[in-house]
Amino acid sequence: MAENFSKSQLDEFKEAFALFDSRSVGCVPVEEIGTLVRSLGHNPSKTDVDTIEGELRREGKLEVDFGDFLGVLAKHFTSPDESPANELKEAFRVFDKKGDGTINVNELVHILSTLGEQLSEDEIERMFSEGNIDPNGDISYESFVKLITSEDDMRFVENQRQRCRDVEAQLASGNHA
């Protein structure tokens, strides 16, 4: 479930969850789920909260652990399009000139080394050492995104997300790489 969220989101969720875990047992009562979700800036209706609480109770839960809480957030408060992987894919899709799900490695290196917080040559080399580059010098951005989002180094993923935002901002302003 954690793969649906960025490291900064997970840190925010952990902090909020800990505040509601007043007994320090790693669980919060089901009745607190609405207030906990609202503390993160969401605004579920009473009906939404009743639905979530009902689902949890049908699963036999009177207490919600952090994993359950992430499940609730993933199911009810994010869309699949909001995942870090989907954001990256959408950003790379802009550079898919052939419309075949690939991006030229040279262009990708240029993007990664010039937009946002630039990657070092070592970081770029590490990414491509595990990537599947075809004979034309193209890489599937779908597999590339899977590679970089499966990394344990969430700083790397966060940097990629920032690059996506930078790319989107440049595209919105009419400047293409």
Side-chain angles (χ1 to χ4, degrees):
M1 207 54 60
E3 67 274 0
N4 293 326
F5 304 106
S6 70
K7 182 178 181 339
S8 61
Q9 286 175 311
L10 288 171
D11 290 344
E12 179 185 6
F13 300 160
K14 285 176 188 174
E15 185 177 333
F17 190 86
L19 291 173
F20 282 81
D21 180 14
S22 59
R23 299 167 295 157
S24 298
V25 295
C27 295
V28 297
V30 167
E31 304 79 44
E32 294 290 325
I33 200 78
T35 307
L36 178 52
V37 167
R38 286 185 187 100
S39 77
L40 294 168
H42 297 285
N43 193 22
S45 67
K46 179 170 177 5
T47 303
D48 293 337
V49 172
D50 290 345
T51 299
I52 294 166
E53 288 179 6
E55 289 173 1
L56 292 167
R57 286 193 176 100
R58 278 189 295 283
E59 293 173 11
K61 297 181 187 223
L62 300 176
E63 301 275 329
V64 179
D65 65 21
F66 188 67
D68 297 330
F69 178 58
L70 289 180
V72 166
L73 291 174
K75 181 176 180 183
H76 296 280
F77 298 100
T78 61
S79 73
D81 292 339
E82 293 175 347
S83 74
N86 283 336
E87 285 183 24
L88 287 168
K89 285 181 216 170
E90 286 303 311
F92 287 133
R93 188 169 288 125
V94 170
F95 298 97
D96 179 6
K97 292 180 175 138
K98 295 180 261 178
D100 63 355
T102 64
I103 185 170
N104 182 273
V105 171
N106 292 331
E107 187 171 2
L108 184 56
V109 168
H110 175 74
I111 293 165
L112 296 174
S113 62
T114 59
L115 297 177
E117 183 182 329
Q118 287 80 35
L119 290 178
S120 70
E121 286 182 31
D122 287 343
E123 289 172 309
I124 291 172
E125 187 176 312
R126 187 179 97 211
M127 286 188 311
F128 292 117
S129 68
E130 299 177 38
N132 296 323
I133 301 171
D134 72 16
N136 298 323
D138 294 333
I139 187 167
S140 161
Y141 54 82
E142 178 93 22
S143 64
F144 182 72
V145 167
K146 283 181 186 173
L147 171 74
I148 63 175
T149 56
S150 67
E151 293 277 336
D152 289 333
D153 183 4
M154 290 305 291
R155 177 186 158 273
F156 178 78
V157 173
E158 286 299 318
N159 288 340
Q160 301 312 309
R161 293 184 79 204
Q162 183 57 50
R163 281 188 187 77
C164 290
R165 290 184 202 104
D166 294 343
V167 167
E168 291 168 349
Q170 282 191 346
L171 290 172
S173 70
N175 295 330
H176 295 256

